[in-house]
Amino acid sequence: MTNVLRPHAEDQYAEELAILAKSDDRPRPPGWRLSPWAVTTYILGDGDQITPKYIGPRRIVEVAVATLATDRALLLLGVPGTAKTWLSEHLAAAVSGDSTLLVQGTAGTAEEAIRYGWNYARLLAEGPSRAALTPSPVMRAMAEGRIARVEELTRMPSDVQDALITVLSEKTLPIPELNEEVQAQRGFNVIATANDRDRGVNELSSALRRRFNTVVLPVPATAEEEVEIVSRRVAQLGRALDLPETVTGLEEIRRVVTVFRELRSGVTEDGRTKVKSPSGTLSTAEAISVLTGGIALAAHFGDAVLRPADVAAGILGAVVQDPVSDRVVWREYLETVVREREGWRDFYRACRDAE
């Protein structure tokens, strides 16, 4: 696995999952690798051998895990960058030991991605048969009693979304061409994700929404919490990418997080100055990307110390999505907030030079 750029959660954290499985003496739902208590411990960490995968309210994780232990599917809803995909992957890894049964929702996702397709060479040669059928990740999850993941559910066309209704309500997937059906085995469930900003793309039908329990993932409640999340993920990515050792002070991380939070909320952290918000989301995930890029710059083209100049271009690219309106917002923020903030003079100059 050393050459894999991004190992699956069940591979990357196999040792932690094994530790939990060995000590887990609590009741496990049918088909689960761990008990709900152990799954929650895996997600949130135990302060010792188990590292936290998600930093946020414990109750949110408990509700998500409890939902998967029932016959209800789970919908993780939130703005971009609130770790919906990250959480769904780790939940699937902990519950069924397999996070790879994934359907990626796009405007071009076909119904076959939810139901099944055909190997047309065999179909033409042999006619309809099980051997000619190509199962979808959802069909495989049903047959094997595992968790299926559906990413960006609201980006999929409405008729494709509704292919899930029978699966979620009847726990059965009919195959009319063969006069057969696949019945879900114990342990099967579905975790879907959707973000708030896509509600108007292809909204869920009321019939489909009723099949889900919805858990809303919030943005980090405090700056300290977001700094912790960003610091942890930047360090993990740096190790995964084998970036040269770089001195990454908390000061630059705090600056990036502060800028993103203020522009996102439309007010400075002290609550005294209102600022305009750009068109982008400025999520925690984007802050992680900006800092990871900054570390690469510092390591390969600088003195291995993360400085304002290393993150300035990344911030500009994240903030200025619309070259006209967003640039006005950014310049106004620089001049009215950053320029006047004590100890931020070097950051202000680096941002101006990056334009």
Side-chain angles (χ1 to χ4, degrees), residues 39-260:
V39 172
T40 302
T41 302
Y42 168 75
I43 298 295
L44 297 174
D46 65 355
D48 184 17
Q49 294 176 295
I50 310 302
T51 59
K53 318 302 179 302
Y54 174 77
I55 298 173
R58 180 180 184 85
R59 197 59 175 173
I60 285 179
V61 177
E62 290 176 342
V63 170
V65 173
T67 295
L68 294 175
T70 70
D71 64 346
R72 301 276 289 181
L74 173 64
L75 176 61
L76 299 176
L77 185 68
V79 299
T82 47
K84 300 182 297 296
T85 298
W86 180 254
L87 181 57
S88 75
E89 178 185 358
H90 284 284
L91 284 170
V95 170
S96 59
D98 187 355
S99 64
T100 65
L101 299 174
L102 172 68
V103 176
Q104 180 61 57
T106 69
T109 300
E111 192 172 335
E112 286 80 2
I114 301 294
R115 300 177 70 242
Y116 53 85
W118 295 97
N119 179 328
Y120 287 103
R122 298 196 68 164
L123 183 65
L124 292 172
E126 305 170 8
S129 67
R130 272 295 186 125
L133 186 145
T134 304
S136 70
V138 175
M139 178 183 277
R140 287 181 55 202
M142 294 177 71
E144 298 168 13
R146 299 180 184 273
I147 299 291
R149 299 166 54 211
V150 181
E151 290 294 310
E152 302 291 356
L153 181 59
T154 51
R155 289 187 180 275
M156 295 163 55
S158 299
D159 57 331
V160 179
Q161 293 176 11
D162 287 344
L164 282 170
I165 291 178
T166 301
V167 170
L168 297 181
S169 60
E170 304 298 327
K171 302 298 186 287
T172 297
L173 182 57
I175 310 175
E177 296 90 340
L178 303 179
N179 196 28
E180 295 181 18
E181 64 180 13
V182 173
Q183 290 185 300
Q185 302 299 301
R186 287 177 176 269
F188 167 73
N189 213 326
V190 172
I191 304 174
T193 67
N195 73 66
D196 289 346
R197 295 203 172 195
D198 278 351
R199 281 182 297 179
V201 176
N202 290 301
E203 290 199 33
L204 302 183
S205 66
S206 59
L208 182 55
R209 186 175 286 277
R210 286 197 304 270
R211 269 68 181 183
F212 284 99
N213 274 357
T214 301
V215 173
V216 179
L217 299 186
V219 296
T222 66
E224 289 303 317
E225 186 177 294
E226 190 161 2
V227 167
E228 182 182 355
I229 294 170
V230 172
S231 301
R232 187 180 297 274
R233 286 293 294 139
V234 166
Q236 290 173 341
L237 285 170
R239 290 192 296 270
L241 296 171
D242 283 334
L243 291 175
E245 194 68 29
T246 304
V247 179
T248 308
L250 273 179
E251 183 180 9
E252 296 309 324
I253 295 178
R254 288 184 189 279
R255 281 175 171 170
V256 173
V257 168
T258 298
V259 169
F260 276 38

Side-chain angles (χ1 to χ4, degrees), residues 17 20-22 24 27-29 32-36 38-39 42 94-95:
L17 290 167
L20 283 168
K22 186 176 181 179
D24 185 16
R28 304 181 186 184
W32 283 40
R33 298 290 187 91
L34 299 172
S35 69
V39 172
Y42 168 75
V95 170

Side-chain angles (χ1 to χ4, degrees), residues 262-340:
E262 289 181 339
L263 287 172
R264 197 166 60 211
S265 63
V267 65
T268 55
E269 60 182 0
D270 59 10
R272 295 179 179 178
T273 306
K274 289 186 177 181
V275 298
K276 295 176 182 176
S277 295
S279 60
T281 57
L282 299 183
S283 66
T284 305
E286 289 170 290
I288 293 167
S289 177
V290 166
L291 284 157
T292 303
I295 289 172
L297 280 173
H300 295 297
F301 302 104
D303 58 0
V305 177
L306 187 66
R307 302 186 186 280
D310 299 317
V311 298
I315 291 178
L316 180 66
V319 174
V320 182
Q321 300 292 315
D322 184 305
V324 178
S325 61
D326 288 346
R327 191 170 294 277
V328 173
V329 170
W330 176 236
R331 285 178 177 170
E332 183 177 314
Y333 176 75
L334 280 180
E335 298 302 326
T336 59
V337 177
V338 176
R339 185 179 182 181
E340 305 301 323

